Coordinates of all heavy atoms in Angstrom, one line a residue:
M1 N 77.9 110.2 109.5 CA 78.6 109.1 108.9 C 79.4 108.4 110.0 O 80.4 108.9 110.4 CB 79.5 109.6 107.8 CG 80.4 108.5 107.2 SD 81.7 109.1 106.1 CE 80.8 110.0 104.9
T2 N 78.9 107.3 110.5 CA 79.6 106.6 111.6 C 80.3 105.4 110.9 O 79.7 104.6 110.3 CB 78.6 106.1 112.6 OG1 77.9 107.2 113.2 CG2 79.3 105.3 113.7
P3 N 81.6 105.4 111.1 CA 82.4 104.3 110.5 C 82.1 102.9 111.2 O 81.8 103.0 112.4 CB 83.8 104.7 110.6 CG 83.8 105.6 111.8 CD 82.5 106.3 111.8
P4 N 82.2 101.8 110.5 CA 82.1 100.6 111.2 C 83.3 100.4 112.2 O 84.4 100.9 111.9 CB 82.2 99.5 110.0 CG 82.8 100.2 108.9 CD 82.5 101.7 109.1
A5 N 83.0 99.8 113.3 CA 84.0 99.5 114.3 C 85.0 98.5 113.7 O 84.5 97.5 113.1 CB 83.4 99.1 115.6
V6 N 86.2 98.7 113.9 CA 87.2 97.7 113.5 C 88.0 97.3 114.8 O 88.1 98.0 115.7 CB 88.2 98.3 112.5 CG1 87.5 98.6 111.2 CG2 89.0 99.5 113.0
S7 N 88.6 96.1 114.7 CA 89.4 95.6 115.8 C 90.7 96.4 115.9 O 91.1 97.1 115.0 CB 89.7 94.1 115.6 OG 90.6 94.0 114.5
N8 N 91.3 96.3 117.1 CA 92.6 97.0 117.3 C 93.6 96.5 116.3 O 94.4 97.3 115.8 CB 93.1 96.7 118.7 CG 92.3 97.5 119.8 OD1 91.6 98.5 119.4 ND2 92.3 97.1 121.0
D9 N 93.6 95.2 116.0 CA 94.6 94.7 115.0 C 94.3 95.3 113.6 O 95.3 95.7 112.9 CB 94.5 93.2 114.9 CG 95.0 92.5 116.1 OD1 95.8 93.1 116.9 OD2 94.7 91.3 116.3
V10 N 93.1 95.4 113.2 CA 92.8 96.1 111.9 C 93.2 97.5 111.9 O 93.8 98.0 111.0 CB 91.3 95.9 111.5 CG1 90.9 96.7 110.3 CG2 91.0 94.4 111.3
F11 N 92.9 98.2 113.0 CA 93.3 99.6 113.2 C 94.8 99.8 113.1 O 95.3 100.7 112.3 CB 92.7 100.2 114.5 CG 93.0 101.6 114.7 CD1 92.1 102.6 114.1 CD2 94.1 102.1 115.4 CE1 92.4 103.9 114.3 CE2 94.4 103.4 115.6 CZ 93.5 104.4 115.0
R12 N 95.5 99.0 113.8 CA 97.0 99.1 113.7 C 97.5 98.8 112.3 O 98.5 99.4 111.9 CB 97.6 98.2 114.8 CG 97.6 98.7 116.2 CD 98.4 97.9 117.2 NE 98.0 96.6 117.4 CZ 97.0 96.2 118.3 NH1 96.5 97.2 119.0 NH2 96.6 95.0 118.4
Q13 N 96.9 97.9 111.6 CA 97.3 97.5 110.3 C 97.0 98.7 109.3 O 97.8 99.0 108.4 CB 96.7 96.3 109.8 CG 97.2 95.8 108.4 CD 98.7 95.6 108.4 OE1 99.2 94.8 109.2 NE2 99.4 96.2 107.5
M14 N 95.9 99.4 109.5 CA 95.6 100.5 108.7 C 96.7 101.6 108.9 O 97.1 102.2 107.9 CB 94.2 101.1 109.0 CG 93.1 100.1 108.6 SD 91.4 100.6 108.9 CE 91.4 102.0 110.0
A15 N 97.1 101.9 110.1 CA 98.1 102.8 110.4 C 99.4 102.4 109.8 O 100.1 103.2 109.2 CB 98.3 103.0 111.9
A16 N 99.8 101.1 109.9 CA 101.0 100.6 109.3 C 101.0 100.7 107.8 O 102.1 101.0 107.2 CB 101.2 99.1 109.7
D17 N 99.9 100.5 107.2 CA 99.8 100.7 105.7 C 100.1 102.1 105.3 O 100.8 102.4 104.3 CB 98.4 100.3 105.2 CG 98.1 98.8 105.3 OD1 99.0 98.0 105.5 OD2 96.9 98.5 105.2
H18 N 99.6 103.1 106.1 CA 99.9 104.5 105.8 C 101.4 104.8 106.0 O 102.0 105.5 105.2 CB 99.1 105.5 106.7 CG 97.6 105.5 106.3 ND1 97.2 106.1 105.1 CD2 96.6 105.1 107.0 CE1 95.9 106.0 105.1 NE2 95.5 105.3 106.2
I19 N 102.0 104.2 107.0 CA 103.4 104.4 107.3 C 104.2 103.8 106.1 O 105.2 104.4 105.6 CB 103.8 103.8 108.6 CG1 103.2 104.7 109.7 CG2 105.4 103.8 108.8 CD1 103.3 104.1 111.1
D20 N 103.8 102.6 105.7 CA 104.5 101.9 104.6 C 104.5 102.7 103.3 O 105.5 102.9 102.6 CB 103.9 100.5 104.3 CG 104.2 99.5 105.4 OD1 105.2 99.8 106.2 OD2 103.6 98.5 105.4
L21 N 103.3 103.3 103.0 CA 103.2 104.1 101.8 C 104.1 105.4 102.0 O 104.8 105.8 101.0 CB 101.7 104.5 101.6 CG 101.5 105.5 100.4 CD1 101.9 104.8 99.1 CD2 100.0 105.8 100.4
T22 N 104.1 106.0 103.1 CA 104.9 107.2 103.3 C 106.4 106.8 103.2 O 107.2 107.6 102.6 CB 104.6 107.8 104.7 OG1 103.2 108.1 104.8 CG2 105.4 109.0 104.9
N23 N 106.8 105.7 103.7 CA 108.2 105.2 103.6 C 108.6 105.0 102.1 O 109.7 105.4 101.7 CB 108.4 103.9 104.4 CG 108.6 104.2 105.8 OD1 108.9 105.2 106.3 ND2 108.2 103.1 106.6
S24 N 107.6 104.5 101.3 CA 107.9 104.3 99.9 C 108.1 105.7 99.2 O 108.9 105.9 98.3 CB 106.9 103.5 99.2 OG 105.7 104.2 99.0
H25 N 107.3 106.7 99.7 CA 107.5 108.1 99.1 C 108.8 108.7 99.5 O 109.4 109.4 98.8 CB 106.3 109.0 99.6 CG 105.0 108.6 98.9 ND1 104.5 109.3 97.8 CD2 104.1 107.7 99.2 CE1 103.4 108.8 97.5 NE2 103.1 107.8 98.3
A26 N 109.3 108.4 100.8 CA 110.5 108.9 101.3 C 111.7 108.4 100.4 O 112.7 109.1 100.3 CB 110.7 108.5 102.7
H27 N 111.6 107.2 99.9 CA 112.7 106.7 99.0 C 112.7 107.4 97.7 O 113.8 107.4 97.1 CB 112.5 105.2 98.8 CG 112.6 104.3 100.0 ND1 113.8 104.3 100.7 CD2 111.7 103.5 100.6 CE1 113.6 103.4 101.8 NE2 112.4 103.0 101.7
K28 N 111.6 108.1 97.3 CA 111.6 108.8 96.0 C 111.8 110.3 96.2 O 112.0 111.0 95.3 CB 110.3 108.6 95.3 CG 110.0 107.1 94.9 CD 108.7 107.0 94.2 CE 107.7 106.6 95.3 NZ 106.3 106.4 94.7
S29 N 111.8 110.8 97.5 CA 111.9 112.2 97.7 C 112.9 112.4 99.0 O 114.0 112.0 98.9 CB 110.6 112.9 98.0 OG 109.9 112.3 99.1
S30 N 112.3 112.8 100.0 CA 113.1 112.9 101.3 C 112.1 112.6 102.4 O 110.9 112.6 102.3 CB 113.7 114.3 101.5 OG 112.6 115.2 101.8
I31 N 112.7 112.2 103.6 CA 111.8 111.9 104.7 C 111.0 113.1 105.1 O 109.8 112.9 105.5 CB 112.7 111.3 105.9 CG1 111.8 110.6 106.9 CG2 113.5 112.4 106.5 CD1 112.6 109.8 107.9
G32 N 111.5 114.3 105.0 CA 110.8 115.5 105.4 C 109.6 115.7 104.4 O 108.5 116.1 104.8
E33 N 109.9 115.6 103.1 CA 108.8 115.8 102.1 C 107.7 114.7 102.3 O 106.5 115.0 102.2 CB 109.4 115.8 100.7 CG 110.2 117.0 100.4 CD 110.9 116.9 99.1 OE1 111.4 115.8 98.7 OE2 111.1 117.9 98.4
A34 N 108.1 113.5 102.5 CA 107.1 112.4 102.7 C 106.3 112.6 103.9 O 105.1 112.5 103.9 CB 107.8 111.0 102.7
G35 N 107.0 113.0 105.0 CA 106.2 113.3 106.2 C 105.3 114.5 106.1 O 104.2 114.5 106.6
G36 N 105.8 115.5 105.4 CA 104.9 116.7 105.1 C 103.7 116.3 104.3 O 102.6 116.8 104.6
A37 N 103.9 115.5 103.3 CA 102.7 115.0 102.5 C 101.7 114.2 103.3 O 100.5 114.4 103.2 CB 103.2 114.2 101.3
L38 N 102.3 113.4 104.2 CA 101.4 112.6 105.1 C 100.6 113.5 106.0 O 99.4 113.4 106.2 CB 102.2 111.6 105.9 CG 101.4 110.8 106.9 CD1 100.3 109.9 106.2 CD2 102.3 109.9 107.7
L39 N 101.3 114.5 106.6 CA 100.6 115.5 107.4 C 99.5 116.3 106.7 O 98.4 116.5 107.2 CB 101.6 116.4 108.1 CG 101.1 117.4 109.1 CD1 100.4 116.7 110.3 CD2 102.2 118.3 109.6
Q40 N 99.9 116.7 105.5 CA 98.9 117.4 104.6 C 97.7 116.6 104.4 O 96.6 117.0 104.5 CB 99.6 117.8 103.3 CG 98.7 118.4 102.2 CD 98.1 119.8 102.6 OE1 98.7 120.5 103.4 NE2 97.0 120.2 101.9
A41 N 97.9 115.3 104.0 CA 96.8 114.4 103.7 C 96.0 114.2 105.0 O 94.7 114.1 104.9 CB 97.3 113.1 103.2
A42 N 96.6 114.0 106.1 CA 95.9 113.7 107.4 C 95.0 114.9 107.8 O 93.9 114.7 108.2 CB 96.9 113.4 108.5
T43 N 95.6 116.1 107.6 CA 94.8 117.3 108.0 C 93.7 117.5 107.1 O 92.6 117.9 107.5 CB 95.7 118.5 108.2 OG1 96.4 118.8 107.0 CG2 96.7 118.4 109.3
R44 N 93.9 117.3 105.8 CA 92.8 117.5 104.8 C 91.7 116.5 105.0 O 90.5 116.8 105.0 CB 93.4 117.3 103.4 CG 92.4 117.4 102.3 CD 92.0 118.8 102.0 NE 91.1 118.9 100.9 CZ 90.4 120.0 100.6 NH1 90.7 121.1 101.2 NH2 89.6 119.9 99.6
Y45 N 92.1 115.2 105.3 CA 91.1 114.2 105.5 C 90.3 114.4 106.8 O 89.1 114.2 107.0 CB 91.7 112.8 105.5 CG 90.6 111.7 105.5 CD1 90.0 111.4 104.3 CD2 90.2 111.0 106.6 CE1 89.0 110.4 104.2 CE2 89.2 110.1 106.6 CZ 88.6 109.8 105.3 OH 87.6 108.8 105.3
T46 N 91.0 115.0 107.8 CA 90.4 115.3 109.1 C 89.4 116.4 109.0 O 88.3 116.3 109.5 CB 91.5 115.6 110.2 OG1 92.3 114.5 110.3 CG2 90.8 116.0 111.5
A47 N 89.7 117.4 108.2 CA 88.7 118.5 107.9 C 87.5 117.9 107.2 O 86.4 118.3 107.5 CB 89.4 119.6 107.1
F48 N 87.7 117.0 106.3 CA 86.6 116.3 105.6 C 85.8 115.5 106.6 O 84.5 115.6 106.5 CB 87.2 115.4 104.5 CG 86.1 114.3 104.1 CD1 85.1 114.7 103.3 CD2 86.3 113.0 104.5 CE1 84.1 113.7 103.0 CE2 85.3 112.1 104.2 CZ 84.2 112.4 103.4
T49 N 86.4 114.8 107.5 CA 85.6 114.0 108.4 C 84.7 114.9 109.3 O 83.6 114.6 109.7 CB 86.4 113.1 109.3 OG1 87.3 113.8 110.1 CG2 87.2 112.0 108.4
C50 N 85.3 116.1 109.7 CA 84.5 117.0 110.5 C 83.3 117.5 109.7 O 82.2 117.6 110.3 CB 85.4 118.2 111.0 SG 86.7 117.7 112.2
A51 N 83.6 117.9 108.5 CA 82.5 118.3 107.6 C 81.4 117.2 107.4 O 80.2 117.5 107.5 CB 83.0 118.8 106.3
A52 N 81.9 116.0 107.2 CA 81.0 114.9 106.9 C 80.1 114.6 108.1 O 79.0 114.0 108.0 CB 81.8 113.7 106.4
Q53 N 80.6 114.8 109.3 CA 79.9 114.5 110.5 C 79.0 115.7 111.0 O 78.3 115.6 112.0 CB 80.9 114.1 111.6 CG 81.6 112.8 111.3 CD 82.7 112.5 112.3 OE1 83.0 113.2 113.2 NE2 83.3 111.3 112.0
S54 N 79.0 116.8 110.3 CA 78.2 117.9 110.6 C 76.9 117.9 109.8 O 76.8 117.4 108.7 CB 78.9 119.2 110.2 OG 80.1 119.3 110.9
A55 N 75.9 118.4 110.5 CA 74.5 118.4 109.8 C 74.5 119.4 108.6 O 73.8 119.1 107.6 CB 73.5 118.8 110.8
D56 N 75.3 120.5 108.7 CA 75.3 121.5 107.7 C 76.5 122.4 107.8 O 77.3 122.2 108.8 CB 74.0 122.3 107.7 CG 73.7 123.0 109.0 OD1 74.7 123.3 109.7 OD2 72.5 123.1 109.3
K57 N 76.7 123.3 106.9 CA 77.8 124.2 106.9 C 77.9 125.0 108.2 O 79.0 125.2 108.8 CB 77.8 125.1 105.7 CG 79.0 126.0 105.6 CD 78.9 126.9 104.4 CE 80.0 127.9 104.3 NZ 80.0 128.7 103.0
T58 N 76.7 125.5 108.7 CA 76.7 126.3 109.9 C 77.2 125.6 111.1 O 78.0 126.1 111.8 CB 75.2 126.8 110.1 OG1 74.8 127.6 109.0 CG2 75.2 127.7 111.4
Q59 N 76.8 124.3 111.2 CA 77.2 123.5 112.4 C 78.7 123.2 112.2 O 79.5 123.3 113.2 CB 76.5 122.2 112.4 CG 76.9 121.3 113.6 CD 76.2 120.0 113.6 OE1 76.2 119.3 112.6 NE2 75.6 119.6 114.7
F60 N 79.2 122.9 111.0 CA 80.6 122.7 110.7 C 81.4 123.9 111.1 O 82.4 123.7 111.9 CB 80.8 122.3 109.2 CG 82.2 122.3 108.8 CD1 83.1 121.3 109.2 CD2 82.7 123.3 107.9 CE1 84.4 121.3 108.8 CE2 84.0 123.2 107.5 CZ 84.9 122.2 107.9
L61 N 81.1 125.1 110.7 CA 81.8 126.2 111.0 C 81.8 126.6 112.5 O 82.8 127.0 113.1 CB 81.4 127.4 110.2 CG 81.6 127.3 108.7 CD1 81.0 128.4 107.9 CD2 83.1 127.1 108.4
A62 N 80.6 126.4 113.1 CA 80.5 126.7 114.6 C 81.4 125.8 115.4 O 81.8 126.1 116.5 CB 79.0 126.5 115.0
A63 N 81.7 124.6 114.9 CA 82.4 123.6 115.7 C 83.9 123.7 115.4 O 84.7 122.9 116.0 CB 82.0 122.2 115.4
R64 N 84.3 124.7 114.7 CA 85.7 124.8 114.2 C 86.7 124.8 115.4 O 87.6 124.0 115.5 CB 85.9 126.0 113.4 CG 87.3 126.2 112.9 CD 87.4 127.5 112.0 NE 88.7 127.6 111.3 CZ 89.7 128.4 111.8 NH1 89.5 129.1 112.9 NH2 90.8 128.5 111.1
K65 N 86.5 125.7 116.3 CA 87.5 125.9 117.5 C 87.5 124.6 118.3 O 88.5 124.1 118.7 CB 87.1 127.1 118.3 CG 88.1 127.2 119.5 CD 87.9 128.5 120.3 CE 88.8 128.7 121.5 NZ 89.9 127.8 121.7
L66 N 86.3 124.1 118.6 CA 86.2 122.9 119.4 C 86.9 121.7 118.8 O 87.8 121.0 119.4 CB 84.8 122.5 119.7 CG 84.5 121.2 120.5 CD1 85.1 121.3 121.9 CD2 83.1 120.8 120.5
N67 N 86.7 121.5 117.5 CA 87.3 120.4 116.7 C 88.8 120.6 116.7 O 89.5 119.6 116.9 CB 86.7 120.3 115.3 CG 85.3 119.6 115.3 OD1 84.9 118.9 116.2 ND2 84.5 120.0 114.3
V68 N 89.2 121.8 116.3 CA 90.7 122.0 116.2 C 91.4 121.8 117.5 O 92.4 121.2 117.6 CB 91.0 123.4 115.6 CG1 92.4 123.7 115.7 CG2 90.5 123.4 114.1
D69 N 90.8 122.3 118.6 CA 91.4 122.2 119.9 C 91.4 120.7 120.3 O 92.5 120.2 120.8 CB 90.6 122.9 121.0 CG 90.8 124.4 120.9 OD1 91.7 124.9 120.1 OD2 90.0 125.2 121.5
Q70 N 90.4 119.9 120.1 CA 90.4 118.5 120.5 C 91.4 117.7 119.6 O 92.1 116.9 120.1 CB 89.0 117.9 120.3 CG 88.0 118.4 121.4 CD 86.6 117.8 121.2 OE1 86.2 117.4 120.1 NE2 85.8 117.9 122.2
L71 N 91.4 118.0 118.3 CA 92.3 117.2 117.5 C 93.7 117.6 117.7 O 94.6 116.7 117.7 CB 91.9 117.5 116.0 CG 90.6 116.8 115.6 CD1 90.0 117.5 114.3 CD2 90.7 115.3 115.5
T72 N 94.0 118.9 118.0 CA 95.4 119.3 118.3 C 95.9 118.6 119.6 O 97.0 118.1 119.7 CB 95.4 120.8 118.5 OG1 95.0 121.4 117.2 CG2 96.8 121.3 118.8
A73 N 95.0 118.5 120.6 CA 95.3 117.9 121.9 C 95.6 116.4 121.6 O 96.5 115.8 122.2 CB 94.2 118.1 122.9
Q74 N 94.8 115.8 120.8 CA 94.9 114.3 120.5 C 96.3 114.1 119.7 O 97.0 113.2 120.1 CB 93.8 113.8 119.6 CG 93.8 112.3 119.3 CD 92.7 111.9 118.5 OE1 92.0 112.7 117.9 NE2 92.5 110.6 118.5
F75 N 96.6 115.0 118.8 CA 97.8 114.8 118.0 C 99.0 115.0 119.0 O 100.0 114.2 118.9 CB 97.9 115.9 116.9 CG 99.2 115.8 116.1 CD1 99.2 115.1 115.0 CD2 100.3 116.6 116.5 CE1 100.4 115.0 114.2 CE2 101.5 116.5 115.7 CZ 101.5 115.7 114.6
R76 N 98.9 116.0 119.9 CA 100.0 116.2 120.8 C 100.2 115.0 121.7 O 101.4 114.5 121.9 CB 99.7 117.4 121.7 CG 100.8 117.7 122.7 CD 100.5 119.0 123.5 NE 101.4 119.2 124.6 CZ 102.6 119.6 124.5 NH1 103.2 119.8 123.3 NH2 103.4 119.8 125.6
E77 N 99.1 114.4 122.2 CA 99.2 113.2 123.1 C 99.8 112.1 122.4 O 100.7 111.4 122.9 CB 97.8 112.9 123.6 CG 97.8 111.7 124.6 CD 96.4 111.4 125.0 OE1 95.6 112.4 125.4 OE2 96.0 110.2 125.1
L78 N 99.4 111.8 121.1 CA 99.9 110.7 120.4 C 101.4 111.0 120.0 O 102.2 110.0 120.1 CB 99.1 110.5 119.1 CG 97.7 109.9 119.3 CD1 96.9 110.1 118.0 CD2 97.8 108.5 119.7
L79 N 101.8 112.2 119.6 CA 103.1 112.5 119.3 C 104.1 112.3 120.5 O 105.1 111.7 120.4 CB 103.3 113.9 118.7 CG 104.7 114.4 118.4 CD1 105.3 113.5 117.3 CD2 104.6 115.8 117.9
L80 N 103.6 112.8 121.7 CA 104.4 112.6 122.9 C 104.6 111.1 123.2 O 105.7 110.7 123.6 CB 103.8 113.3 124.0 CG 103.9 114.9 124.0 CD1 103.0 115.5 125.1 CD2 105.3 115.3 124.1
S81 N 103.6 110.3 123.0 CA 103.7 108.9 123.3 C 104.6 108.2 122.4 O 105.5 107.4 122.8 CB 102.3 108.3 123.2 OG 102.3 106.9 123.3
H82 N 104.5 108.5 121.1 CA 105.4 107.9 120.1 C 106.9 108.4 120.3 O 107.8 107.7 120.1 CB 104.9 108.2 118.7 CG 103.7 107.4 118.3 ND1 103.6 106.0 118.3 CD2 102.4 107.8 118.0 CE1 102.4 105.6 118.0 NE2 101.7 106.7 117.9
Y83 N 107.0 109.7 120.6 CA 108.3 110.3 120.8 C 109.0 109.5 122.0 O 110.2 109.1 121.9 CB 108.2 111.8 121.1 CG 109.5 112.5 120.8 CD1 109.5 113.2 119.6 CD2 110.5 112.6 121.6 CE1 110.7 114.0 119.2 CE2 111.7 113.4 121.3 CZ 111.7 114.0 120.1 OH 112.8 114.8 119.8
D84 N 108.3 109.3 123.1 CA 108.8 108.6 124.2 C 109.2 107.1 123.8 O 110.2 106.6 124.3 CB 107.8 108.6 125.4 CG 107.6 110.0 126.0 OD1 108.5 110.8 125.8 OD2 106.7 110.1 126.7
D85 N 108.3 106.5 123.0 CA 108.6 105.2 122.6 C 109.9 105.1 121.8 O 110.7 104.2 122.0 CB 107.4 104.6 121.7 CG 107.6 103.2 121.2 OD1 108.0 102.4 122.0 OD2 107.3 103.0 120.1
F86 N 110.1 106.1 120.9 CA 111.3 106.1 120.1 C 112.5 106.4 121.0 O 113.6 105.8 120.8 CB 111.2 107.1 119.0 CG 110.8 106.5 117.7 CD1 109.4 106.3 117.4 CD2 111.7 106.2 116.7 CE1 109.0 105.7 116.3 CE2 111.2 105.6 115.5 CZ 109.9 105.4 115.3
G87 N 112.3 107.2 122.0 CA 113.4 107.5 123.0 C 113.8 106.2 123.7 O 115.0 105.9 123.9
D88 N 112.8 105.4 124.1 CA 113.1 104.2 124.9 C 113.6 103.1 124.0 O 114.3 102.2 124.5 CB 111.8 103.7 125.5 CG 111.2 104.6 126.6 OD1 112.0 105.4 127.1 OD2 110.0 104.5 126.9
N89 N 113.4 103.1 122.7 CA 113.7 102.1 121.8 C 114.6 102.5 120.6 O 114.6 101.9 119.6 CB 112.5 101.4 121.3 CG 111.7 100.7 122.3 OD1 112.0 99.7 122.9 ND2 110.6 101.4 122.7
Y90 N 115.3 103.6 120.8 CA 116.0 104.3 119.7 C 116.9 103.3 119.0 O 116.9 103.3 117.8 CB 116.8 105.5 120.2 CG 117.4 106.3 119.1 CD1 116.6 107.4 118.5 CD2 118.7 106.1 118.7 CE1 117.2 108.1 117.5 CE2 119.2 106.9 117.7 CZ 118.5 107.9 117.1 OH 119.0 108.6 116.1
E91 N 117.8 102.6 119.7 CA 118.8 101.8 119.1 C 118.1 100.7 118.3 O 118.6 100.3 117.2 CB 119.7 101.1 120.1 CG 120.6 102.1 120.8 CD 120.0 103.0 121.9 OE1 118.8 102.7 122.3 OE2 120.6 104.0 122.3
T92 N 117.0 100.1 118.7 CA 116.3 99.1 118.0 C 115.6 99.6 116.8 O 115.7 99.1 115.7 CB 115.2 98.4 118.9 OG1 115.9 97.9 120.1 CG2 114.5 97.3 118.2
Y93 N 114.9 100.7 116.9 CA 114.1 101.3 115.8 C 115.0 101.9 114.7 O 114.6 101.9 113.5 CB 113.2 102.4 116.3 CG 112.0 101.9 117.1 CD1 111.2 102.8 117.9 CD2 111.7 100.5 117.2 CE1 110.2 102.4 118.6 CE2 110.6 100.1 118.0 CZ 109.9 101.0 118.7 OH 108.8 100.6 119.5
M94 N 116.2 102.4 115.1 CA 117.0 103.2 114.1 C 118.1 102.3 113.5 O 119.0 102.9 112.9 CB 117.5 104.4 114.8 CG 116.5 105.4 115.3 SD 115.2 105.8 114.1 CE 116.1 106.7 112.9
K95 N 118.0 101.0 113.6 CA 119.0 100.1 113.0 C 119.0 100.2 111.5 O 118.0 100.4 110.9 CB 118.7 98.7 113.4 CG 119.2 98.4 114.8 CD 119.0 96.9 115.0 CE 119.4 96.6 116.5 NZ 119.3 95.2 116.8

């Protein structure tokens, strides 16, 4: 299952839509619960995408370590980048 390519603008808007939804949940619960729900959804969907891109269950299970290692590294890289961005722009973002 290869997704259609989208422009950078469309990709950024898709991410912004998820953030907006999570922010709306945070108003009804807490920022920690909303963030936890987003993380739960992201990891569940990511496991689904790994399964959907596998030829069969055997291939899916065999790729577990590789997929988890690659996705964990990607998450870490993105988190560090966003953390640095918030550090550089803290006063602006946290108004």
Side-chain angles (χ1 to χ4, degrees):
M1 174 190 305
T2 302
V6 296
S7 69
N8 287 339
D9 288 342
V10 170
F11 183 83
R12 282 191 293 276
Q13 185 59 54
M14 291 180 347
D17 291 346
H18 288 292
I19 292 168
D20 289 344
L21 179 60
T22 302
N23 284 334
S24 74
H25 288 261
H27 293 299
K28 296 179 265 182
S29 60
S30 72
I31 196 168
E33 289 171 326
L38 178 62
L39 184 59
Q40 172 69 18
T43 55
R44 179 74 180 174
Y45 193 79
T46 299
F48 161 74
T49 62
C50 291
Q53 294 171 359
S54 299
D56 54 34
K57 181 179 179 179
T58 301
Q59 183 186 50
F60 169 69
L61 294 175
R64 182 178 187 264
K65 180 172 178 12
L66 177 65
N67 285 335
V68 169
D69 288 350
Q70 287 177 342
L71 291 161
T72 301
Q74 183 181 17
F75 182 89
R76 179 177 172 74
E77 183 178 317
L78 290 167
L79 179 58
L80 288 170
S81 175
H82 290 297
Y83 207 97
D84 291 344
D85 180 46
F86 267 80
D88 293 342
N89 299 287
Y90 188 88
E91 291 78 12
T92 301
Y93 292 166
M94 301 309 293
K95 282 185 182 180

